[in-house]
Amino acid sequence: MTGIFINYRTGDGEKAAVLIDNELLRVFGDDQVFRDRRAMEPGTHFPPELERRLEASTVVLVLIGHDWLKVTDRAGNRRIDDPKDYVHYEIRRSLDRGKKVVPLLLDGAPLPTREELPPPLAQLAEQQISQLSIPYAHEQMEPIVRFLKRHVPPLPAEQGSPQPGAAPKYQVDSVTRGVVGDGGIYIEHDHSGAHRPDGAPGGRPA
């Protein structure tokens, strides 16, 4: 199985994740695009399903905004430094397995340096980046989609591949934290839970 896994930090890139997810769904389909809050139904046992989709993915998009390194837990510690933080865990697992990990810098955010990253994620600073300005996503998503098509097969044209230059039909709804589009409103769901004994986190923080 091939697919695209969207890694993002709540508190930094969740709205961009919704926007990107919505565009990629139209091109690649639900089975080949994973964003946790949209892809998993209520009642899904979260950790094994996330692990399954991460392992099955070919490309991992790491969304990095201006506050990506700054988000802290309740004790004031950087969440990216915690091995049981889901953003950390997903990136580390992907790098260790040689997946194509793409830092996607949002609205001019800089790529963290090796010194700014925890050692298990230092390689992220050496990955070739892509960039996306959210106000111009209707223009800038096209080269990203073109790159992804080299690694993940798109849907047949008649099933929703976008026409060149076509503007995506969505808007981020800041109240519902969902996305309004042709298919209705995707409502965001929070996932939380205890840490797993094998070192994997138990639930992706909201």
Side-chain angles (χ1 to χ4, degrees), residues 23-178:
E23 175 68 7
L24 297 183
L25 283 174
R26 297 194 301 118
V27 181
F28 300 98
D30 181 73
D31 289 342
Q32 296 196 110
V33 181
F34 181 82
R35 179 177 66 89
D36 58 348
R37 296 182 180 179
R38 187 264 310 156
M40 290 190 285
E41 297 179 352
T44 300
H45 188 197
F46 184 85
E49 179 62 12
L50 184 143
E51 185 75 14
R52 183 183 73 83
R53 294 298 295 264
L54 184 62
E55 292 300 309
S57 295
T58 307
V59 181
V60 177
L61 297 179
V62 178
L63 277 54
I64 298 176
H66 288 276
D67 295 326
W68 190 79
L69 285 172
K70 301 175 185 177
V71 179
T72 59
D73 59 22
R74 293 180 180 178
N77 301 310
R78 292 196 320 173
R79 287 173 58 183
I80 195 62
D81 293 323
D82 183 358
K84 292 185 177 181
D85 169 69
Y86 254 110
V87 171
H88 177 120
Y89 177 76
E90 292 163 4
I91 297 170
R92 175 171 54 82
R93 295 276 286 187
S94 301
L95 291 171
D96 288 348
R97 281 157 177 72
K99 294 183 181 295
K100 187 163 289 294
V101 178
V102 181
L104 182 53
L105 307 182
L106 305 174
D107 293 325
L111 179 67
T113 65
R114 291 182 65 93
E115 292 72 25
E116 291 174 316
L117 293 165
L121 308 188
Q123 183 185 331
L124 186 67
E126 300 171 346
Q127 301 295 111
Q128 181 62 40
I129 66 167
S130 186
Q131 300 187 62
L132 181 68
S133 176
I134 301 305
Y136 298 98
H138 60 288
E139 299 172 350
Q140 296 180 1
M141 278 300 299
E142 186 174 347
I144 295 171
V145 169
R146 203 162 52 237
F147 157 76
L148 291 170
K149 284 180 178 179
R150 299 205 300 266
H151 302 278
V152 179
L155 293 169
E158 65 271 20
Q159 294 185 33
S161 293
Q163 298 299 316
K169 300 178 181 178
Y170 53 70
Q171 67 185 59
V172 175
D173 185 326
S174 60
V175 177
T176 62
R177 293 174 65 207

